[in-house]
Amino acid sequence: MMAQYLALKCEAGDCLLFYRMGDFFELFFDDARHASAVLDIALTSRGDHDGAPIPMCGVPVHSAEGYLARLIRAGCRVAIAEQVESPEEAKRRGGSKALVARAIVRFVTAGTLTEEALLEPRRANVLAAVCDLRGMCGLAACDISTGRMDLEECAADGLGAALARLGASELVAPLEWPDAPAEAIGRARHDFASEEGEARLKAAHGVATLDGFGQFTRPMLAAAGGLLAYLDHVGRGRLPLLLPPVARATDEVMAMDAATRASLEILEGQSGGRSGSLLAAVDRCVTGAGARQLAEDLAAPLAMRGEIEARLVLVQWLHDDPLLRGDLRALFRALPDIGRALGRIVAGRGSPRDLGQLRDGLVEARRAHDVLHGMADKPALLEALVPPLAGHGALTDHLSRALVQTPPTERSQGGFIAEGYDAALDELRQVSGNARRAIAALEAKYRSETGIAALKIRHNGVLGYFIEVPSRHADALMAADSGFTHRQTMAGAVRFNSLSLHEEASRIAEAGGHALAAEEAHFEDLVGEVVAAKARIAATAAALARLDVAAGQAERAAESGWCRPEIVAAPCLEIEAGRHPVVEAALAAPENGRGGERFVANDCRLGPDDRLWLIGGPNMGGKSTFLRQNALIVLLAQAGGFVPAARARIGLVDRLFSRVGAADNLARGRSTFMVEMVETAAILAQATESSFVILDEVGRGTSTYDGLALAWAVSEAIHETNRCRCLFATHYHELTRLAETCPALSLHHVRAKEWKGELVLLHEVAEGGADRSYGLAVAKLAGVPRGVLDRAKEVLGRLEKGRAETGGIVAGLGELPLFAAAAQAEEVHRDTMRERLQGLDIDALSPREALELLYRLKRDAAD
Ligand code: ADP
């Protein structure tokens, strides 16, 4: 047995091997140690190997799903080795000692789940493959629970942002690729050959050319190859639901890197869960599929006005018609998750219940179609979404006729095909029904014949049907001519058989077996029909999800008086009475003990002549909140939703950056300042005139002089070189002097006042620099003891006196040439160009690649 185990383990590689033994999956050696620790189950041992006992642990097959879920969550991957023949077959094959043959039937990994119990309903589950090809990166991402597949290509420096956007739960990359993301699982390089990818895609979709799906570049195809090869490996040759791939251009979406995503808490709050996130504050979807679509929209806001407008028009339409919106949402509430049911069916893991869900979902979709179809003046996006909601009439009719009202999840017991669908099946059921009644009649007959009132006819898995009497009555039945044959003696009872019982039982068994086979055949037929319609069903699911998102956005907007943003090309950001959706909701929540405090709305007005706002004011004054609310408003708008403001006019943003200066936090390690600077460097390298940047106390993670100097230089560079829209919150008073030299920079502060010796934070953003920092007042508010505060006041007095006498730490900065830093940056820029040219192998380029490269260089030089 160990030899068989070790061979399978070798095949399983670094996955834990679940080795089926009877009713258990057993794990051995290191797998057992690891799994027992993760699952907190007993580690035992069995036999020995090389003289040492073999560590072992096991989980029951019937509850394996729960254990699998925990292992996957803990980052494990699992290979399932099943028995692929029965013990009888093994004996026939190899004699009485023969070992039952086992094989790995499936790998269970985070990115390839389809089971309802293992997936989160409101979250997509993405598997991605990434690879490099001639200096570019290819990315392939799919959600096999619904079949979506996207391919894209990006430059190496854009990979981080693209991966952050995808948020994959599992990632594969070529082995031996030095720049592969650390979390990626290594796969053979030849899987990532572009010709291989093209061939695999064609085979998966049964087409001779991919032209009908779009134009795909070599890096995209290479990544697709890696993804499909991995799916093939994990599914042991059976591919899951895959819809035609969609080519995505990176500039279709607003770029946001991982640091920006984390600091804006878009999909996850600080604690790591949904709570406290933008998504949680916005999500009013009533279906899991809608919630997944919304999360995707927020993770990848659009960068194309036309598409944003199309979504906004639909939200507006639903916003203006609360009755229709209510009706649609009520209808959606009853929708099963047809996308995921379809995913399971195509992956070969579907159940009768999944078929039932498809039936119900498609019928509801048809109702939504009928509600919307006849309406006049529909927005363009809706015109496109309505047709896919219908067109499944034949399939739903068939499913409705074939299936019972609520089909079971387990298909081995049958009972899911409706009466009246198949006359032969009905007859078989009648036969077994009659036989069951006959058995009940037999019981009554035997009772009266023997006079034993306690006589029972019972059934179990081992004996089948049998007659049971208490031991004290057994003698009568033991008599040779009694007509009963003895089968088993138990502690208090004896069991018998009889000819008539045997006949009826055989009838049940035979009819039952035939009935099961008939149901199974119908199941396969129905599955075949669904698989044939998979693309259209997936389109229906996608249209429903998009409608749910739009109705949810409209609902959210109506709930709190949000407005439709105006999206323009000019680089402006004009927001009247903007609010932070998460902070506002937190303040309003009664449970936070602040008694429904009101959020103070604030305006923001950036434009070509006033691009950079420096915002000062006391800690806790509302600076971070103001910065983020503006970034979130941009994000929500470009995701195609309404925004928490009275009015918003937003110049399309190509890249959004958010940076928060690291506080001196020893727990987070010495490198936090380094991280802060690396992230800041990325902004200086990447922000364009169409970008929007928020900087919160950048420079805070180091000494005053260094921090101020860096903040000063970063502000200048943003003002002079990047020329993007930027909000910079800082407590460095000294930066206000920048206003003297930078014409498009203006000073603002969050207002506070001292009233009767107490600090009052007004959370209002006002024009002009902060007059003082209120640090001591904030300390008092925080409960710092009186004595310490008095001493601090004394020290502050001295420092301020010193500053007045010497001109302070910025004395002399006035003479510093402003453009020095900018000029240097330019030099570096040109140098990277030169490096790229020097690194070129011209002979290795095809004429077309050479031309493409030339265009690219020209474009980059113009940046
Ligand atoms: P800062 O960045 O200036 O230190 P924060 O933005 O972190 O300040 O705000 C501190 C707290 O003040 C927030 O947690 C919130 O409770 C409250 N706050 C901030 N802005 C507002 C506002 N506009 N209206 C009401 N309360 C606010």
Side-chain angles (χ1 to χ4, degrees):
M1 188 206 106
M2 263 306 135
Q4 186 191 50
Y5 172 83
L6 291 172
L8 288 169
K9 176 63 200 166
C10 184
E11 209 180 314
D14 53 2
C15 300
L16 299 175
L17 182 66
F18 267 38
Y19 183 84
R20 175 78 181 256
M21 294 179 78
D23 291 336
F24 277 79
F25 284 119
E26 304 287 6
L27 295 103
F28 300 105
F29 300 106
D30 282 348
D31 283 4
R33 289 197 191 95
H34 191 78
S36 67
V38 172
L39 300 174
D40 197 16
I41 55 176
L43 185 66
T44 57
S45 64
R46 174 194 169 106
D48 58 280
H49 183 70
D50 291 342
I54 301 170
M56 173 179 107
C57 67
V59 301
V61 170
H62 68 86
S63 55
E65 220 169 62
Y67 290 106
L68 276 173
R70 280 161 63 193
L71 287 170
I72 301 292
R73 242 176 270 131
C76 305
R77 290 178 296 142
V78 178
I80 311 260
E82 282 284 3
Q83 296 173 186
V84 291
E85 63 180 359
S86 68
E88 293 73 36
E89 283 166 332
K91 277 187 199 126
R92 269 201 300 279
R93 181 173 51 79
S96 64
K97 287 242 154 73
L99 188 65
V100 177
R102 290 179 175 82
I104 295 180
V105 293
R106 192 187 156 202
F107 290 89
V108 186
T109 73
T112 60
L113 300 173
T114 52
E115 285 81 352
E116 218 171 347
L118 305 186
L119 288 166
E120 282 182 45
R122 297 177 87 83
R123 203 179 168 142
N125 190 38
V126 176
L127 167 70
V130 51
C131 64
D132 58 328
L133 191 74
R134 298 195 204 123
M136 294 300 281
C137 291
L139 267 161
C142 71
D143 180 347
I144 69 159
S145 67
T146 55
R148 293 197 27 181
M149 180 164 182
D150 291 337
L151 304 180
E152 60 184 285
E153 171 187 303
C154 64
D157 64 359
L159 183 61
L163 286 175
R165 164 165 44 81
L166 291 174
S169 58
E170 194 175 0
L171 181 65
V172 295
L175 282 167
E176 299 130 27
W177 175 27
D179 298 330
E183 71 278 20
I185 299 163
R187 304 286 303 164
R189 175 57 94 168
H190 59 75
D191 286 350
F192 294 84
S194 59
E195 307 80 49
E196 176 87 352
E198 188 171 349
R200 282 183 186 271
L201 276 177
K202 285 180 189 165
H205 296 288
V207 293
T209 162
L210 298 177
D211 290 351
F213 299 152
Q215 293 300 313
F216 304 103
T217 63
R218 292 276 138 206
M220 290 180 187
L221 293 172
L227 187 78
L228 290 179
Y230 184 66
L231 284 174
D232 195 47
H233 162 74
V234 170
R236 307 296 284 170
R238 174 158 196 161
L239 279 182
L241 170 60
L242 286 178
L243 300 172
V246 179
R248 301 256 174 227
T250 317
D251 57 5
E252 278 176 15
V253 293
M254 187 169 91
M256 288 186 282
D257 53 23
T260 300
R261 286 167 197 279
S263 86
L264 291 180
E265 301 174 62
I266 300 171
L267 303 185
E268 289 185 348
Q270 248 161 13
S271 54
R274 231 175 113 92
S275 92
S277 67
L278 174 67
L279 177 61
V282 175
D283 186 2
R284 293 294 181 273
C285 292
V286 294
T287 68
R292 295 197 295 272
Q293 182 63 57
L294 177 64
E296 203 176 299
D297 289 357
L298 296 182
L302 301 169
M304 292 179 303
R305 260 168 75 196
E307 283 194 32
I308 300 172
E309 280 301 332
R311 287 188 192 171
L312 286 172
V313 173
L314 178 55
V315 175
Q316 171 99 58
W317 197 72
L318 290 163
H319 178 265
D320 297 348
D321 191 343
L323 282 179
L324 171 69
R325 186 171 80 235
D327 287 350
L328 280 178
R329 283 163 58 80
L331 202 152
F332 293 157
R333 256 187 210 107
L335 269 179
D337 201 329
I338 54 176
R340 285 195 163 167
L342 178 68
R344 286 189 290 276
I345 291 172
V346 176
R349 293 175 214 141
S351 68
R353 180 163 175 267
D354 291 324
L355 289 176
Q357 290 199 339
L358 277 188
R359 171 198 61 194
D360 300 345
L362 293 176
V363 167
E364 291 300 318
R366 169 82 216 191
R367 289 184 46 207
H369 172 273
D370 296 347
V371 170
L372 294 168
H373 179 66
M375 303 194 83
D377 302 327
K378 285 197 284 290
L381 181 54
L382 192 57
E383 289 286 2
L385 292 175
V386 171
L389 298 178
H392 302 286
L395 179 63
T396 48
D397 277 356
H398 193 182
L399 289 170
S400 304
R401 273 188 298 114
L403 296 171
V404 298
Q405 188 57 37
T406 32
T409 34
E410 185 51 56
R411 79 172 197 258
S412 60
Q413 308 290 322
F416 50 87
I417 296 293
E419 236 182 272
Y421 176 66
D422 172 0
L425 175 63
D426 290 346
E427 209 171 298
L428 289 167
R429 284 179 175 161
Q430 203 172 4
V431 170
S432 48
N434 287 345
R436 278 200 184 88
R437 275 189 291 281
I439 288 178
L442 269 184
E443 187 181 65
K445 180 170 156 239
Y446 291 152
R447 271 186 202 164
S448 74
E449 278 177 11
T450 57
I452 306 170
L455 179 145
K456 284 200 182 93
I457 295 186
R458 302 181 53 195
H459 180 271
N460 70 25
V462 183
L463 295 184
Y465 285 95
F466 53 83
I467 300 149
E468 187 176 277
V469 294
S471 309
R472 61 198 145 86
H473 296 298
D475 287 352
L477 278 69
M478 285 289 196
D481 59 351
S482 68
F484 296 97
T485 41
H486 174 254
R487 295 194 68 185
Q488 202 177 27
T489 300
M490 313 289 293
V494 183
R495 292 169 172 179
F496 298 90
N497 201 355
S498 77
L499 198 60
S500 312
L501 179 60
H502 177 73
E503 275 170 11
E504 298 300 345
S506 313
R507 219 167 277 160
I508 292 178
E510 195 183 339
H514 287 145
L516 272 185
E519 290 208 47
E520 186 63 31
H522 289 311
F523 181 79
E524 292 303 333
D525 283 351
L526 294 170
V527 163
E529 213 169 312
V530 166
V531 170
K534 66 183 178 186
R536 284 189 302 118
I537 299 176
T540 307
L544 286 168
R546 175 57 63 211
L547 278 170
D548 187 23
V549 169
Q553 294 274 49
E555 182 76 18
R556 183 68 187 87
E559 217 172 83
S560 314
W562 291 9
C563 78
R564 172 173 166 184
E566 183 191 350
I567 310 286
V568 297
C572 62
L573 186 62
E574 294 164 17
I575 292 169
E576 273 173 29
R579 282 118 63 196
H580 189 303
V582 180
V583 175
E584 184 178 26
L587 287 181
E591 65 270 14
N592 77 358
R594 294 169 70 168
E597 210 171 299
R598 271 181 57 82
F599 187 90
V600 180
N602 277 305
D603 298 349
C604 175
R605 205 167 301 100
L606 297 175
D609 304 330
D610 188 7
R611 288 178 257 121
L612 202 175
W613 278 21
L614 278 187
I615 303 159
N619 272 331
M620 293 300 286
K623 297 185 293 298
S624 306
T625 307
F626 178 68
L627 260 51
R628 278 158 217 248
Q629 83 189 26
N630 289 302
L632 294 180
I633 286 173
V634 166
L635 196 157
L636 282 171
Q638 293 196 203
F642 279 27
V643 298
R647 195 181 77 87
R649 187 161 176 269
I650 298 170
L652 203 64
V653 170
D654 64 347
R655 292 170 190 183
L656 177 65
F657 293 94
S658 166
R659 293 294 183 266
V660 183
D664 290 328
N665 184 344
L666 287 180
R668 287 205 287 168
R670 270 178 306 150
S671 64
T672 35
F673 179 64
M674 179 70 186
V675 171
E676 182 183 331
M677 283 301 113
V678 169
E679 290 175 358
T680 308
I683 296 185
L684 299 178
Q686 295 170 19
T688 72
E689 278 187 38
S690 303
S691 303
F692 178 45
V693 175
I694 61 172
L695 298 171
D696 192 355
E697 302 274 9
V698 163
R700 170 170 70 171
T702 184
S703 74
T704 308
Y705 278 93
D706 289 3
L708 173 57
L710 282 164
W712 186 288
V714 167
S715 311
E716 275 187 357
I718 285 184
H719 181 267
E720 294 301 310
T721 311
N722 300 100
R723 305 174 72 85
C724 53
R725 284 157 284 176
C726 176
L727 300 176
F728 190 165
T730 178
H731 66 278
Y732 291 125
H733 251 311
E734 296 78 2
L735 286 186
T736 51
R737 301 259 314 257
L738 278 169
E740 296 161 16
T741 47
C742 299
L745 177 151
S746 62
L747 304 175
H748 303 261
H749 66 282
V750 284
R751 287 185 60 208
K753 58 182 183 192
E754 269 187 275
W755 192 72
K756 291 191 184 159
E758 295 294 326
L759 180 70
V760 183
L761 300 168
L762 300 173
H763 303 305
E764 255 175 55
V765 177
E767 294 197 358
D771 48 355
R772 38 181 291 213
S773 75
Y774 294 101
L776 298 189
V778 173
K780 185 173 171 203
L781 211 60
V784 172
R786 170 114 239 146
V788 176
L789 285 177
D790 288 346
R791 176 69 183 147
K793 241 181 231 159
E794 252 177 65
V795 175
L796 181 65
R798 288 277 172 84
L799 290 175
E800 281 179 341
K801 190 156 165 269
R803 180 167 65 191
E805 282 164 7
T806 63
I809 58 177
V810 285
L813 277 185
E815 296 91 63
L816 193 69
L818 176 65
F819 295 108
Q824 237 167 351
E826 191 98 335
E827 202 54 45
V828 173
H829 191 65
R830 240 183 268 130
D831 266 351
T832 57
M833 256 333 180
R834 185 170 300 147
E835 268 168 31
R836 278 169 69 185
L837 284 170
Q838 277 164 351
L840 265 185
D841 181 2
I842 294 177
D843 292 333
L845 295 176
S846 70
R848 179 162 167 203
E849 283 167 346
L851 193 62
E852 274 173 7
L853 182 74
L854 210 52
Y855 275 117
R856 215 161 38 232
L857 284 171
K858 175 142 178 19
R859 194 186 60 215
D860 291 355
D863 269 352

